[in-house]
């Protein structure tokens, strides 16, 4: 009986040792806990990490001053200018470059004001006496009322650049738009003690009743008139 008990005890010890060895050989080594880092922004605006002995510092490649200069105003200062010459204004196929209403001198503004006021009156079928030289008023009134009637009514107009023909005289090319055609010509102005006034009108108003054909651009089509 004691002999049987001794054999049973030996078997129990043997199986216990075998189980311990299996657990030791199959046991996996746990991975080391990952280092936890926290991103922190310091007083200079730089970003660094904490919780790691090997600190990584990320620096910005621009300063607050650079950010300030990145505004639309700052960007415009760094752009290369696109303008290499003078201003470019629209041109009409018949009367050439149109008169700009910006950056005009006081004298040119006065000439343009008189011209526009006179043509606006013709457009309404009236004659603005304040725009005409007193010595030429009677002749211009008869001529204008005869030609600029309902049959030759125009809807809009264009004015070209002011051409100086003398110290106190200028001409302005104009184009009247009606239906179905257009009429081109010149207005003559003279400076007196009281300002600039219309002295003559040379416009082939009958052309306004003819159908407008396809236009071909011819620069300075009225240059021969200005040179006379």
């Amino acid at each position: 009986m004691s002999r049987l008990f001794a054999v049973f005890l030996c078997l129990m010890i043997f199986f216990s040792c075998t189980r311990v060895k299996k657990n030791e050989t199959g046991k996996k080594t746990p991975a080391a806990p990952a280092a936890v880092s926290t991103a922190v922004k310091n007083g200079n605006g730089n970003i660094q990490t904490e919780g790691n002995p090997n600190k990584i510092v990320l620096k910005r490649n621009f300063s607050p001053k650079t950010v300030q200069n990145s505004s639309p105003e700052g960007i415009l200062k760094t752009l290369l200018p696109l303008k290499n010459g003078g201003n470019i204004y629209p041109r009409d196929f018949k009367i050439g470059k149109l008169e700009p209403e910006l950056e005009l001198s006081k004298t040119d503004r006065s000439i343009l004001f008189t011209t526009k006021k006179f043509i606006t009156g013709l457009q309404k079928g009236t004659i603005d006496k304040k725009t005409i030289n007193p010595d030429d008023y009677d002749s211009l009134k008869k001529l204008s009322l005869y030609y600029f009637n309902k049959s030759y009514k125009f809807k809009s107009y264009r004015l070209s650049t002011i051409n100086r023909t003398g110290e106190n005289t200028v001409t302005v090319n104009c184009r009247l738009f009606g239906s179905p055609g257009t009429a081109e010509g010149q207005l003559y102005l003279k400076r007196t003690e009281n300002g600039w006034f219309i002295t003559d009108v040379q416009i082939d108003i009958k052309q306004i009743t003819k159908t407008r054909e396809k236009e071909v651009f011819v620069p300075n089509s009225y240059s021969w008139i200005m040179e006379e």
Side-chain angles (χ1 to χ4, degrees), residues 58-78:
L58 303 177
K59 294 184 178 181
R60 295 176 178 175
N61 57 359
F62 53 85
S63 62
K65 185 177 181 180
T66 305
V67 176
Q68 185 178 2
N69 292 334
S70 297
S71 62
E73 293 79 6
I75 294 175
L76 289 176
K77 292 180 180 179
T78 60

Side-chain angles (χ1 to χ4, degrees), residues 110 114 130 133-134 190-197:
S110 178
T114 300
K130 295 181 180 180
N133 186 39
K190 178 181 179 180
R191 180 168 58 183
T192 66
E193 295 179 354
N194 299 320
W196 289 91
F197 297 95

Side-chain angles (χ1 to χ4, degrees), residues 63-194:
S63 62
K65 185 177 181 180
T66 305
V67 176
Q68 185 178 2
N69 292 334
S70 297
S71 62
E73 293 79 6
I75 294 175
L76 289 176
K77 292 180 180 179
T78 60
L79 292 176
L80 293 175
L82 300 177
K83 182 178 176 182
N84 296 324
N87 295 328
I88 300 176
Y89 297 103
R91 299 181 69 96
D92 183 89
F93 280 12
K94 296 290 186 179
I95 61 176
K97 184 168 66 174
L98 303 183
E99 180 64 47
E101 297 190 17
L102 300 176
E103 302 178 0
L104 288 178
S105 64
K106 184 178 180 180
T107 300
D108 288 350
R109 286 199 301 269
S110 178
I111 295 172
L112 190 62
F113 175 79
T114 300
T115 306
K116 293 176 67 175
K117 193 174 182 181
F118 174 77
I119 295 182
T120 302
L122 292 181
Q123 189 175 6
K124 296 177 181 179
T126 61
I127 302 298
D128 193 330
K129 187 176 182 179
K130 295 181 180 180
T131 63
I132 301 176
N133 186 39
D135 296 337
D136 304 306
Y137 176 73
D138 291 335
S139 59
L140 278 178
K141 181 179 179 180
K142 293 178 181 179
L143 182 66
S144 299
L145 292 179
Y146 177 78
Y147 285 104
F148 294 90
N149 51 41
K150 294 182 180 180
S151 301
Y152 304 122
K153 191 173 183 179
F154 58 97
K155 299 179 180 178
S156 60
Y157 62 89
R158 290 177 183 173
L159 299 177
S160 74
T161 53
I162 299 170
N163 308 304
R164 283 172 170 77
T165 57
E167 185 177 356
N168 296 312
T169 57
V170 299
T171 62
V172 179
N173 296 342
C174 66
R175 186 177 187 186
L176 311 180
F177 289 82
S179 180
T182 65
E184 304 86 37
Q186 280 189 317
L187 302 177
Y188 295 76
L189 292 90
K190 178 181 179 180
R191 180 168 58 183
T192 66
E193 295 179 354
N194 299 320

Side-chain angles (χ1 to χ4, degrees), residues 16-32:
S16 298
C17 293
T18 304
R19 185 178 300 174
V20 171
K21 288 182 179 180
K22 287 183 178 181
N23 291 336
E24 290 178 354
T25 57
K27 184 178 180 180
K28 294 182 180 180
T29 304

Side-chain angles (χ1 to χ4, degrees), residues 202-217:
Q202 296 292 332
I203 300 176
D204 187 6
I205 193 63
K206 293 181 180 180
Q207 295 295 323
I208 211 166
T209 60
K210 298 181 180 180
T211 303
R212 188 181 359 172
E213 298 178 356
K214 184 177 181 181
E215 298 176 339
V216 178
F217 178 66

